[in-house]
Amino acid sequence: MARKSRKHPELVIPVSKDTVGYIRLSVLNRDPHGSVENQGLMIEEWGRQHQIPIMRYYIDNGFSGKRFDRPALQEILQDIQKGKIDCIVVKDLSRLGRDYITIGYYLEMFFQAITSDLCQSTTNLIPLMA
């Protein structure tokens, strides 16, 4: 039996019934690779690769990343507080928002404090691309 590397442990992601996708497309974004459909396909493909079904999508179409009062984002935050969500998958962190101080707050304080570290070792938010 082959030994498993201790230097490069594999990321183990348990199956969760509460994994969701978050998609945001600003009014100004006309990049076809960043469309709502393509972001959904990327998230869905990630779910297939990791054998984790994406149970629901929260979509803010036509909202700037500078605003954090977006309807779907507010719904996600409420659902996290209610314990309905364990994991959020996004295309990249810019989809969550463009104010990196606020993003840092959500990553370090809100997401980590409300839910377990189900999806990654430090946060329950998975950006697919850096």
Side-chain angles (χ1 to χ4, degrees):
M1 175 180 238
R3 288 180 36 170
K4 291 187 178 183
S5 172
R6 291 184 195 162
K7 292 181 182 177
H8 305 288
E10 294 181 27
L11 178 64
V12 177
I13 304 172
V15 174
S16 169
K17 62 183 167 109
D18 299 326
T19 299
V20 300
Y22 178 71
I23 297 170
R24 181 188 63 79
L25 184 66
S26 70
V27 179
L28 300 176
N29 190 347
R30 299 293 177 228
D31 175 17
H33 299 292
S35 71
V36 169
E37 293 80 15
N38 282 342
Q39 289 181 53
L41 289 172
M42 292 171 74
I43 292 169
E44 199 64 37
E45 178 59 26
W46 180 91
R48 272 194 292 280
Q49 288 176 356
H50 293 87
Q51 299 178 345
I52 296 176
I54 307 299
M55 300 307 292
R56 179 174 179 204
Y57 286 90
Y58 294 80
I59 301 171
D60 280 322
N61 193 359
F63 287 90
S64 169
K66 294 179 181 178
R67 296 178 50 193
F68 285 85
D69 61 346
R70 302 183 303 267
L73 180 61
Q74 292 304 310
E75 189 177 356
I76 273 185
L77 297 177
Q78 291 173 2
D79 286 350
I80 289 172
Q81 289 177 323
K82 293 176 185 174
K84 293 181 178 181
I85 297 174
D86 290 327
C87 180
I88 303 167
V89 182
V90 295
K91 176 188 168 219
D92 58 47
L93 289 180
S94 72
R95 300 301 88 207
L96 188 59
R98 294 287 187 177
D99 178 353
Y100 293 106
I101 293 173
T102 305
I103 296 295
Y105 163 76
Y106 284 118
L107 290 175
E108 296 297 325
M109 304 301 285
F110 190 82
F111 291 148
Q112 206 168 12
I114 299 297
T115 61
S116 67
D117 54 349
L118 177 68
C119 295
Q120 266 185 332
S121 59
T122 59
T123 178
N124 72 319
L125 178 75
I126 297 184
L128 301 180
M129 303 170 70

